[in-house]
Amino acid sequence: MSLATDSPVNSSSSDDLAAFLDAELDSNSLGSSPEKEAEDKDEDEESIDEEAENEEARDDKDLERIKRRKTQIVETIQERPGPTSLGNLEEKTEVSLGTDNCPHPGSLGGMCYRCGKRLEEESGVTFSYICKGLRLGNDEIDRLRNTDMKHLLRHRKLYLILDLDHTLLNSTLLLHLTPEEDYLKSQADSLQDVSKGSLFMLAFMNMMTKLRPFVHTFLKEASEMFEMYIYTMGDRPYALEMAKLLDPSREYFNARVISRDDGTQRHQKGLDVVLGQESAVLILDDTENAWTKHRDNLILMERYHFFASSCRQFGYHCQSLSQLRSDESELEGALASVLKVLKRIHNIFFDELANDLAGRDVRQVLKMVRGEVLKGCKLVFSHVFPTKFPADTHYLWKMAEQLGATCSIELDPSVTHVVSTDARTEKSRWAAKEAKFLVDPRWIETANFLWQRQPEENFPVQQTKPEENFHAKQMKDQ
């Protein structure tokens, strides 16, 4: 069987790991074609001495060892098709079987996948989500990323990393459903055709999952602009089941499903296990702290709390969407909003920048687009920050600046907004007197999630009594 023709691995570059292994096996077949070997055997059969026979036996043994390893690779790849970002792997170094001349670009099960030699020490980064036991060296990773980057840019695509929970969907254990949510069990969609449903009861996992509204349209349109990965802090079995719900035909993610079992850092996500250049990667996730090394790539998502257990998990004392028998808007919800942002970023990256395509950085485009949201606004905060921390270290201050606003602690005529939790503070009263906008802090957070300045009248500030103000003892008018 030919790996290149029979393996389900697809490559976004000119070849894939399967074809590479085919080529390597052929190139290492004692330096001759099958036809020439047959001719040589016919001509020299009677003159082969014992030493030549022994040498041939050793070579045959090495060759058979690689064939067996190749068969294992075939079986693994067929069970878990590889991602499109394996890149162009046909570039190779002419090496002899099992010699130290091979640079050992990667290994599978402790054996170099190029020459078949058993490696005493494993090195590089594990890519077990692509193929169990696969490790790639740093030089090989760089080469694959560079090759694949060229291919994607030719096809006007970038990379998009998608979180699962609270970003694309919401899951809960069946035993955590409240009495008010019991009706959901009778409304679950069929698992026979998940492409037409959004609420699924996975009895074999004792779980119920709700897909976020607009997710099917989002994935379809995003796939035209990005090569997409799933990256979750859930375990691998859970990640694969969620991928089946989101992508039953395997047209969006294929094997690009990364779980916490595949990462290199505990409780952290990193792009070191993604075969894509960081300068071309965007990330959608509801948890900023999961990406401490890649915040410049991150688009923070508003959390999707469909189930009551999700609200309880994050300390919200309110009814969930399921308890209210409601849901996010399809056309005005989080995914619809962020899709517009992704289209804007993609358009700027490919059509509006003057520098060479290969030198562009999507992180700079992301920063520019984010900075347009509250451009021209000057904010002063009142009763928002704890007194023990400098104002400019608070997340709302930083968020507002990232959105393009100017923040200040002093009132002056150039101030456009007072952000407050209490309409009775001195600064709040000044805003009313000077006809400035007086808004609740949620105005900034909502603009951050929806990437659009929100109508100020939708975020009024209440006249809070001191005993009712949660922050009364911690904060002062600034």
Side-chain angles (χ1 to χ4, degrees):
M1 177 180 66
S2 169
L3 280 168
T5 57
D6 296 338
S7 173
V9 177
N10 295 315
S11 174
S12 63
S13 298
S14 62
D15 212 340
D16 55 24
L17 179 57
F20 164 75
L21 292 171
D22 268 332
E24 281 302 311
L25 184 59
D26 292 339
S27 69
N28 287 311
S29 297
L30 307 180
S32 61
S33 66
E35 293 80 1
K36 187 175 186 301
E37 288 180 1
E39 294 174 0
D40 292 342
K41 184 176 181 180
D42 290 338
E43 294 175 0
D44 302 331
E45 188 174 34
E46 296 180 357
S47 61
I48 297 177
D49 57 20
E50 184 177 353
E51 182 179 353
E53 289 179 352
N54 292 336
E55 183 177 354
E56 183 176 352
R58 287 194 299 270
D59 286 337
D60 286 344
K61 185 177 180 180
D62 283 336
L63 185 57
E64 184 61 31
R65 173 165 52 87
I66 291 184
K67 284 183 177 179
R68 288 198 304 270
R69 191 59 192 153
K70 181 180 173 183
T71 300
Q72 296 172 4
I73 294 171
V74 174
E75 293 172 351
T76 304
I77 291 176
Q78 287 181 326
E79 292 175 1
R80 294 171 59 184
T84 61
S85 58
L86 272 175
N88 183 350
L89 282 161
E90 83 277 2
E91 296 177 14
K92 52 188 178 288
T93 304
E94 293 298 330
V95 296
S96 300
L97 291 175
T99 70
D100 292 332
N101 294 328
C102 177
H104 307 316
S107 63
L108 202 153
M111 295 176 65
C112 174
Y113 63 59
R114 174 172 290 179
C115 71
K117 181 179 180 180
R118 173 70 64 180
L119 304 180
E120 295 181 0
E121 294 184 5
E122 291 188 334
S123 60
V125 179
T126 300
F127 286 85
S128 57
Y129 69 93
I130 295 175
C131 188
K132 186 176 181 180
L134 176 65
R135 299 179 71 92
L136 297 176
N138 292 330
D139 290 343
E140 183 71 352
I141 293 172
D142 289 341
R143 189 180 69 79
L144 293 177
R145 285 174 174 166
N146 290 335
T147 302
D148 203 51
M149 180 71 173
K150 294 175 183 177
H151 173 84
L152 281 191
L153 292 181
R154 285 198 301 269
H155 289 78
R156 293 176 59 86
K157 280 193 172 186
L158 300 169
Y159 301 94
L160 182 62
I161 314 300
L162 297 169
D163 173 52
L164 285 178
D165 296 282
H166 305 108
T167 297
L168 298 182
L169 50 82
N170 190 202
S171 295
T172 188
L173 294 176
L174 294 177
L175 60 84
H176 289 163
L177 290 174
T178 65
E180 298 97 321
E181 296 174 301
D182 200 53
Y183 75 96
L184 294 172
K185 296 178 181 178
S186 63
Q187 295 188 0
D189 297 305
S190 171
L191 290 172
Q192 300 304 312
D193 186 4
V194 299
S195 63
K196 298 180 179 179
S198 64
L199 179 66
F200 303 99
M201 186 159 63
L202 307 174
F204 60 96
M205 298 179 70
N206 297 310
M207 181 179 292
M208 181 171 280
T209 294
K210 174 66 173 64
L211 304 186
R212 197 166 199 165
F214 197 71
V215 69
H216 293 302
T217 302
F218 172 85
L219 292 176
K220 182 182 182 200
E221 296 193 22
S223 69
E224 297 173 359
M225 302 179 288
F226 299 92
E227 181 167 274
M228 301 188 297
Y229 285 72
I230 285 174
Y231 199 147
T232 177
M233 294 301 284
D235 61 24
R236 183 151 193 84
Y238 173 75
L240 293 176
E241 289 301 325
M242 296 302 103
K244 291 178 184 178
L245 298 180
L246 292 166
D247 184 21
S249 60
R250 298 174 66 88
E251 61 182 310
Y252 301 138
F253 303 109
N254 203 346
R256 295 186 300 276
V257 179
I258 305 173
S259 69
R260 70 185 180 204
D261 305 322
D262 306 308
T264 59
Q265 300 180 65
R266 188 174 177 82
H267 305 308
Q268 280 288 304
K269 297 179 179 181
L271 295 180
D272 53 343
V273 292
V274 174
L275 288 177
Q277 294 281 15
E278 291 184 20
S279 60
V281 174
L282 291 175
I283 302 166
L284 296 190
D285 202 317
D286 67 285
T287 306
E288 183 178 13
N289 290 336
W291 295 96
T292 54
K293 295 183 178 180
H294 307 287
R295 285 176 173 159
D296 291 341
N297 302 81
L298 177 65
I299 296 177
L300 191 63
M301 293 292 293
E302 182 179 12
R303 289 193 173 106
Y304 181 49
H305 297 293
F306 182 78
F307 296 109
S309 62
S310 180
C311 291
R312 293 194 301 269
Q313 176 186 350
F314 289 90
Y316 296 131
H317 303 289
C318 60
Q319 286 189 307
S320 67
L321 290 169
S322 60
Q323 290 173 309
L324 295 171
R325 302 198 176 207
S326 181
D327 209 345
E328 281 187 357
S329 168
E330 277 272 348
L331 300 180
E332 298 179 2
L335 290 178
S337 297
V338 80
L339 180 61
K340 297 176 184 177
V341 177
L342 293 176
K343 289 181 177 179
R344 170 75 173 132
I345 293 172
H346 183 273
N347 182 67
I348 292 175
F349 185 93
F350 284 102
D351 298 327
E352 297 184 16
L353 298 182
N355 59 315
D356 179 68
L357 188 62
R360 298 175 190 177
D361 193 326
V362 75
R363 292 169 292 192
Q364 297 303 314
V365 180
L366 177 61
K367 181 178 180 180
M368 179 179 68
V369 174
R370 179 182 278 127
E372 295 174 350
V373 177
L374 295 183
K375 186 177 181 179
C377 298
K378 184 173 182 179
L379 315 182
V380 166
F381 295 86
S382 178
H383 246 250
V384 175
F385 308 137
T387 57
K388 59 182 180 179
F389 297 114
D392 59 2
T393 64
H394 194 272
Y395 83 95
L396 277 175
W397 184 292
K398 293 181 178 180
M399 183 182 293
E401 289 188 329
Q402 290 174 349
L403 294 173
T406 301
C407 298
S408 176
I409 59 174
E410 300 294 338
L411 295 172
D412 64 60
S414 65
V415 171
T416 60
H417 295 70
V418 171
V419 183
S420 178
T421 59
D422 187 349
R424 305 187 314 159
T425 68
E426 179 180 347
K427 291 177 181 177
S428 298
R429 292 195 297 268
W430 176 89
K433 178 181 177 182
E434 299 296 327
K436 306 292 185 179
F437 290 114
L438 179 63
V439 293
D440 184 87
R442 292 180 297 111
W443 177 75
I444 300 175
E445 295 174 318
T446 306
N448 184 60
F449 288 129
L450 298 182
W451 289 69
Q452 186 175 3
R453 178 172 167 176
Q454 299 299 295
E456 284 80 2
E457 60 270 20
N458 293 346
F459 299 87
V461 179
Q462 305 299 322
Q463 290 193 7
T464 308
K465 295 180 181 179
E467 61 271 18
E468 295 176 346
N469 190 346
F470 178 77
H471 302 283
K473 294 183 179 181
Q474 294 181 306
M475 304 180 183
K476 69 176 182 179
D477 191 19
Q478 296 185 26

